[in-house]
Amino acid sequence: MKHLFTTAAVLFSMTAFAQVGINTKTPYATLDIKAKSPGTNPEGLLIPKLSGTDIQNGPYGSNQTGTLVYATAVPSAPNTVTAEITEPGFYYFNGTKWKKINSSGSTISYTTIADPNILGYVPSTTATASVDAPATLTVGSATATRQGTGSFGGHTYASYSTNATVTWYQAYNAAKNMGGYLAVFTSDAEWQYVETNLLTPFTIFNTNGGHIGMARFSWGAGPGLVPDPEMKWISGEQPYHDYSAGGTSAVRKANWFYSGQPGGATEGFVAFVRKGVGNTMTYNGYTSTHPWHDIVANNTEIGLTGGFIVEFQQ
């Protein structure tokens, strides 16, 4: 009975004053929490911790707009609502999707929209890897099998292995037919995420390499544009740089070609190599075991052309 009266008194106090103080009798807001023993106790507010998959499975709707959680891992199969949960951290629900609370403004922003004038077509703005990348499809005379899907920076990705070699153009058209495009990596973190989550966990990529969305082409506009020809992302996106990293080089931005690559002038199409060949590229403490190699479009080495990665703008 004593506990009942105590609970009733607390509820009455909350209703009467419409403000609640913890460790203070004079709250200055709806809820005012003061530290009790700074430097002695682990003071702070502990937000619920959920995996990305648990967040995705939760019944969040308009009534939960503004909900704050700490995601401990990315969703196993992200959808349009959780596509931006790309790493552990704080996220809030805006009524439609989960958005990341950025902790730093030191990184220069960059475009994430493909330029159709360079890509050659207008990719879908609604297609996603989890919905529009089929489990299997025929590419030329090969069967392509989806291995992994994931999301980074608001885009989704699907990796495919093939049971026979496919040309760069065949992979380009397969991605186009899904509403996406051969994946481009305008930041080192983007490549690291895709390699770590969509290539490394699948042993097929120990023997198979695959096409990505970089090619060498000429502007055909005379000497005013140099270098000509040059390696470009087929989406038209430009790599972004983190100038705060400092260092002695002009720009601290790595490409992931391994030593000696890119090669000859006729090898203008870029692929990641199979892990089993043993080539690596290390930068800023990260070692890529599927670094890049430029090849001719109709290369028949499955260690370079036995797959591809598709990127979607959602």
Side-chain angles (χ1 to χ4, degrees):
M1 184 64 71
K2 178 180 179 181
H3 294 300
L4 178 61
F5 285 131
T6 301
T7 302
V10 171
L11 291 175
F12 175 77
S13 175
M14 291 172 65
T15 303
F17 295 102
Q19 290 181 319
V20 177
I22 298 178
N23 298 326
T24 178
K25 295 181 180 180
T26 56
Y28 293 112
T30 305
L31 176 62
D32 187 355
I33 304 175
K34 293 291 194 296
K36 185 176 182 179
S37 303
T40 302
N41 292 325
E43 304 285 354
L45 181 64
L46 195 58
I47 299 298
K49 299 176 183 179
L50 299 170
S51 71
T53 299
D54 287 338
I55 294 171
Q56 182 167 301
N57 291 337
Y60 296 97
S62 59
N63 290 334
Q64 285 73 45
T65 299
T67 298
L68 177 67
V69 300
Y70 184 90
T72 58
V74 301
S76 57
N79 57 23
T80 55
V81 179
T82 58
E84 295 185 34
I85 301 179
T86 58
E87 61 182 342
F90 286 103
Y91 293 83
Y92 70 93
F93 187 63
N94 71 358
T96 303
K97 61 172 60 177
W98 289 91
K99 307 287 290 184
K100 183 174 178 60
I101 297 178
N102 293 318
S103 60
S104 172
S106 63
T107 299
I108 296 174
S109 62
Y110 61 103
T111 177
T112 58
I113 303 299
D115 182 347
N117 294 303
I118 295 177
L119 182 61
Y121 62 92
V122 179
S124 172
T125 57
T126 59
T128 67
S130 60
V131 175
D132 298 281
T136 60
L137 69 153
T138 299
V139 181
S141 60
T143 297
T145 302
R146 189 185 67 220
Q147 297 296 333
T149 61
S151 64
F152 181 90
H155 285 198
T156 57
Y157 306 78
S159 61
Y160 282 88
S161 64
T162 59
N163 62 353
T165 60
V166 296
T167 70
W168 188 91
Y169 291 111
Q170 287 173 328
Y172 170 93
N173 285 319
K176 177 180 179 180
N177 291 338
M178 295 179 203
Y181 45 90
L182 286 180
V184 307
F185 306 104
T186 56
S187 74
D188 298 322
E190 184 180 9
W191 166 245
Q192 291 172 25
Y193 171 82
V194 171
E195 181 182 28
T196 299
N197 293 278
L198 275 68
L199 299 181
T200 302
F202 303 98
T203 57
I204 186 64
F205 295 118
N206 290 346
T207 55
N208 286 31
H211 302 287
I212 63 175
M214 179 181 277
R216 185 197 308 272
F217 67 92
S218 174
W219 291 100
L225 294 173
V226 293
D228 185 14
E230 66 173 320
M231 287 287 189
K232 295 276 293 181
W233 292 117
I234 63 171
S235 64
E237 296 171 61
Q238 297 296 315
Y240 82 100
H241 312 293
D242 183 2
Y243 295 100
S244 67
T248 56
S249 57
V251 175
R252 294 293 295 270
K253 170 70 177 73
N255 67 56
W256 295 96
F257 288 100
Y258 63 86
S259 179
Q261 298 299 321
T266 60
E267 297 179 332
F269 300 89
V270 179
F272 64 87
V273 302
R274 62 186 175 92
K275 181 178 180 179
V277 76
N279 291 319
T280 62
M281 167 64 180
T282 300
Y283 181 74
N284 274 357
Y286 174 80
T287 297
S288 173
T289 56
H290 299 90
W292 306 343
H293 185 125
D294 64 325
I295 57 177
V296 295
N298 59 346
N299 185 295
T300 59
E301 182 183 351
I302 202 164
L304 292 167
T305 63
F308 52 93
I309 306 171
V310 183
E311 179 173 354
F312 297 87
Q313 293 189 149
Q314 290 291 327

